[in-house]
Amino acid sequence: MFDIQRFNGVIYGADYNPEQWPREIWAEDARLMQEAGVNLVSLGIFSWALLERTEGNFDFGWLDEIMDLLHAHGVDVNLATATASPPPWFSLQYPDSRPVTADGVRLEVGGRQLYCPSHPALRDGAARLTRALATRYAQHPALKLWHINNEYGCHIDQCYCEHCARRFRAWLERRYGSIDALNGAWGTAFWSQHYITWAEIQPPRRAPTYANPTQQLDWRRFSSDNILELHTMERAILAEITPDVPATTNFLGFLPGLDYFRWAQEEDVVSLDAYPDPGSDLAHLDAGMAFDLTRSLGGGARWILMEQATSAVNWRLRNAPKPPGQMRLLNHLALARGASGIMFFQWRASRAGAEKFHSGLVQHVGQQRSRVWREVTAFGAELRRLTPLLAAGVPARVALMFDWHSWWALNIDSKPAALPLLPLVARWYAALKALGQNVDFVPPHGDLGGYDVVVLPNLYLMADETASALRAFVERGGHLVSGYFTGIVDAQEHIHLGGYGAPISDVLGLWVEEWDVLLPGQTNTVAWAGRDPVTVTDWCDVIHLQGAQAQATFTDRFYAGQPAMTRHTFGQGQAWYVGTELPPSALQGLLGEVLQGAGVPLTVLPAHVDLTVSALPEGAQVLHLLNAHATDPVSLRIPDGGVLFPGGEAAGTTLTLPPYGVTLVQYPQAVTVADVQVL
Ligand code: GLA
Ligand code: ZN
């Protein structure tokens, strides 16, 4: 279990890589950490090569020294198991531990994360190092948290080598039991793919044309599970030696390779690395969506922002800095959405290596000359006053359903159209945020009971159990909104026959006969009673009603006059269907109607205003009001009776947020977002 009381208030800190710096700097670092209000650092993430210089020979001298120094300065340690990157000697001693791409290329020494997750020596080596570190530092007073590995799957989420092929076969045998069952699931009657023995089965390596889709999907599932085994192996060693020290590994939000809803079950606390593009007007929406996902992965529990940049990163083609104020704004966004800790990569910007142009708390110019330093120390001081937020929850009445398996299946080639899922989800998310909603993400197997509205931006793969859960949700009075190309295949990636959307056809009150994929530049028009006609793009379903009512109809092309959007009363609830790609304003309009129908209060906010409502114990609530605009202020009307948080002065009923401005207002009771208005 994770108890935030282990830490000294809200966690504030960074990855700390003292091994990149001479010893003279270390004492200065510890002193500057105190000055900045840093209370936790992640140590040793890329230290394997310095900790184990030949197999089994450890040198912990420097780490002992730095652990003691940090402790003496009141800085706690989030100690890495240091397994993120094996040393060159390891990769050369075990050449087949280097991962292999789908094209059969074995990768070379010189970058990082150079390992095959299946290789026995890698597994042994990671276990050996984890055990040695846990044993050495079990009693060290600075040790407060374990940081297992680092960003699993960030570079290598699939390895196509023979070790992995063997484990893939074993995984498939466990899943299917017999080769006949596998042949059935993979549909191998197609293209002469029938397998006689398990030994014939390969990873979906580069093939002459499309690899078998179910093979590709199972490969994704296997790869996520296989890397997770590495993680739980280290986790078990730590739990054995230091049962009282919580453990985490840093997630990457919407990372394609790992099913984080499954992974999160193995974490004591979920943590996130978030690098929205500071140059984008949507940085706060990108970040906010990842923050909401992260809280949802932990079932609503508070979480740790483990890494972010103080200013620019170095890995985009153009790396915009965070202008003054933006870092603070994004940190407040994380706190509003449930973070218990605000950390950065990295403490001191590197002098050498591939990340030397990545910002740090201590920049190349030195702290005295740096506006970034002024901002991080000011924020460190501000954080000390925000401790009561550690007890806040983020109650949501609306959930977006998200599923890694469906995402994997949708991403497989040979579809009616390539549909990138994240931009699609982001459009629904942005529309809900613009209506002032707190939003959770929920997996298909998640509990829908607490929500009034569940949105399926796209759930291409829908298992029968998911359809049953959605049916029960609507029957009991829930409001469901489904986007197009949903409920198309089952868990084996076989089409649900009898009309697309078949598994929830009764709930939606319709069936889809076919779709019209629009080419770039092509549009259709939707006539929507009481509103202006809407121009739509990308995709139009040919819908047949079976109980639902058309809310809007297409006006062009061969299905002119047929429904584009529908609504169906089912049991005590309502099911809406959107059979096309709506522009943002229309999507927002539609969701507004859905929320109203569901009795969920809403307001209308411009995209640069971010609103979260958090709930303190004993019924108090806090409005977190953020202006993400870089140059323009925004004025708001807020409910009466609030006090500024922290501070306690009366908040009045209007306030102006400067560019990148943040205001928190606390109320003794629940507030309704309908009472927040932009002036
Ligand atoms: C990731 C890694 C860090 C660093 C940063 C750079 O988050 O975990 O080691 O490479 O990216 O943005
Ligand atoms: Zn491998």
Side-chain angles (χ1 to χ4, degrees), residues 102-368:
D103 291 291
V105 176
R106 202 178 278 287
L107 300 176
E108 296 293 341
V109 173
R112 68 173 178 183
Q113 206 171 72
L114 184 77
Y115 62 82
C116 157
S118 302
H119 196 276
L122 182 279
R123 291 190 171 215
D124 289 351
R128 186 171 63 233
L129 182 56
T130 301
R131 186 168 288 283
L133 278 160
T135 308
R136 186 156 192 106
Y137 298 107
Q139 305 305 327
H140 200 288
L143 174 66
K144 285 290 159 67
L145 181 64
W146 284 111
H147 184 293
I148 301 181
N149 198 287
N150 186 64
E151 293 189 344
Y152 283 104
C154 72
H155 307 300
I156 303 295
D157 60 358
Q158 304 158 80
C159 168
Y160 293 78
C161 82
E162 263 316 302
H163 295 287
C164 289
R166 273 196 295 277
R167 293 183 68 88
F168 183 41
R169 289 177 203 120
W171 184 93
L172 290 166
E173 276 201 66
R174 288 196 297 278
R175 183 175 176 88
Y176 293 110
S178 75
I179 196 82
D180 282 350
L182 176 134
N183 277 307
W186 286 18
T188 57
F190 181 78
W191 278 358
S192 183
Q193 291 175 350
H194 187 84
Y195 294 102
I196 311 290
T197 66
W198 293 103
E200 295 155 34
I201 294 170
Q202 307 293 325
R205 295 175 176 133
R206 177 66 63 93
T209 181
Y210 306 124
N212 178 297
T214 315
Q215 174 194 18
Q216 295 191 56
L217 177 58
D218 276 345
W219 172 252
R220 277 294 193 180
R221 290 170 166 145
F222 157 77
S223 297
S224 177
D225 286 358
N226 193 40
I227 300 177
L228 181 59
E229 261 188 44
L230 261 187
H231 178 57
T232 53
M233 181 268 294
E234 289 192 23
R235 176 83 195 83
I237 294 169
L238 299 174
E240 172 200 325
I241 302 173
T242 56
D244 299 329
V245 181
T248 188
T249 187
N250 42 349
F251 288 173
L252 280 157
F254 293 91
L255 180 75
L258 308 180
D259 174 5
Y260 281 147
F261 277 114
R262 169 69 193 87
W263 275 66
Q265 294 166 18
E266 307 296 338
E267 307 303 302
D268 291 317
V269 58
V270 177
S271 57
L272 173 76
D273 297 352
Y275 291 97
D277 186 346
S280 159
D281 289 343
L282 301 179
H284 64 291
L285 275 168
D286 285 353
M289 187 161 111
F291 297 164
D292 281 327
L293 173 73
T294 304
R295 183 188 64 257
S296 304
L297 292 172
R302 295 192 76 91
W303 50 278
I304 298 173
L305 178 55
M306 188 62 83
E307 285 185 33
Q308 58 169 326
T310 56
S311 185
V313 300
N314 64 296
W315 40 261
R316 292 193 173 93
L317 287 179
R318 288 182 181 229
N319 297 294
K322 288 182 177 166
Q326 196 191 31
M327 176 198 66
R328 171 175 180 261
L329 177 105
L330 292 171
N331 288 344
H332 267 286
L333 188 69
L335 292 167
R337 303 290 221 279
S340 289
I342 300 291
M343 300 183 70
F344 299 90
F345 174 88
Q346 59 179 331
W347 166 253
R348 195 177 267 279
S350 296
R351 192 170 182 198
E355 292 182 329
K356 57 183 171 298
F357 291 111
H358 193 295
S359 56
L361 284 83
V362 182
Q363 297 277 62
H364 292 150
V365 291
Q367 80 281 5
Q368 266 135 17

Side-chain angles (χ1 to χ4, degrees), residues 272-577:
L272 173 76
D273 297 352
Y275 291 97
D277 186 346
S280 159
D281 289 343
L282 301 179
H284 64 291
L285 275 168
D286 285 353
M289 187 161 111
F291 297 164
D292 281 327
L293 173 73
T294 304
R295 183 188 64 257
S296 304
L297 292 172
R302 295 192 76 91
W303 50 278
I304 298 173
L305 178 55
M306 188 62 83
E307 285 185 33
Q308 58 169 326
T310 56
S311 185
V313 300
N314 64 296
W315 40 261
R316 292 193 173 93
L317 287 179
R318 288 182 181 229
N319 297 294
K322 288 182 177 166
Q326 196 191 31
M327 176 198 66
R328 171 175 180 261
L329 177 105
L330 292 171
N331 288 344
H332 267 286
L333 188 69
L335 292 167
R337 303 290 221 279
S340 289
I342 300 291
M343 300 183 70
F344 299 90
F345 174 88
Q346 59 179 331
W347 166 253
R348 195 177 267 279
S350 296
R351 192 170 182 198
E355 292 182 329
K356 57 183 171 298
F357 291 111
H358 193 295
S359 56
L361 284 83
V362 182
Q363 297 277 62
H364 292 150
V365 291
Q367 80 281 5
Q368 266 135 17
R369 297 173 164 186
S370 157
R371 64 99 186 165
V372 166
W373 178 254
R374 285 193 291 279
E375 287 181 60
V376 295
T377 50
F379 190 72
E382 183 179 353
L383 260 189
R384 297 301 108 212
R385 302 164 59 226
L386 297 174
T387 319
L389 286 182
L390 293 173
V394 186
R397 296 178 67 175
V398 180
L400 283 167
M401 190 170 275
F402 189 84
D403 180 32
W404 260 266
H405 297 249
S406 184
W407 188 16
W408 290 329
L410 186 71
N411 267 349
I412 294 168
D413 43 29
S414 62
K415 291 288 190 309
L419 284 181
L421 183 61
L422 292 187
L424 204 143
V425 173
R427 287 193 286 274
W428 288 85
Y429 178 82
L432 289 166
K433 288 311 297 177
L435 293 165
Q437 301 304 304
N438 282 359
V439 178
D440 279 350
F441 286 87
V442 64
H445 55 271
D447 181 4
L448 306 181
Y451 301 109
D452 296 286
V453 176
V454 170
V455 179
L456 314 179
N458 164 279
L459 198 66
Y460 164 72
L461 182 156
M462 190 183 286
D464 293 338
E465 310 83 75
T466 311
S468 306
L470 293 169
R471 182 173 298 108
F473 169 73
V474 182
E475 252 168 2
R476 287 197 299 260
H479 293 244
L480 176 73
V481 192
S482 173
Y484 56 86
F485 209 44
T486 283
I488 306 299
V489 297
D490 64 15
Q492 300 187 333
E493 231 262 346
H494 295 199
I495 301 283
H496 288 293
L497 298 177
Y500 298 111
I504 51 167
S505 172
D506 57 334
V507 183
L508 297 172
L510 57 81
W511 52 281
V512 175
E513 181 183 1
E514 58 178 320
W515 39 71
D516 182 19
V517 171
L518 302 182
L519 302 182
Q522 285 182 336
T523 58
N524 200 331
T525 305
V526 165
W528 191 354
R531 296 182 189 243
D532 291 339
V534 179
T535 302
V536 298
T537 54
D538 299 286
W539 188 287
C540 300
D541 276 328
V542 178
I543 296 172
H544 298 271
L545 300 177
Q546 202 172 265
Q549 286 172 343
Q551 300 290 302
T553 50
F554 293 110
T555 59
D556 301 333
R557 302 174 72 91
F558 64 91
Y559 42 93
Q562 288 182 246
M565 281 186 269
T566 67
R567 172 184 187 158
H568 185 221
T569 302
F570 182 79
Q572 307 294 305
Q574 302 274 320
W576 298 72
Y577 186 78

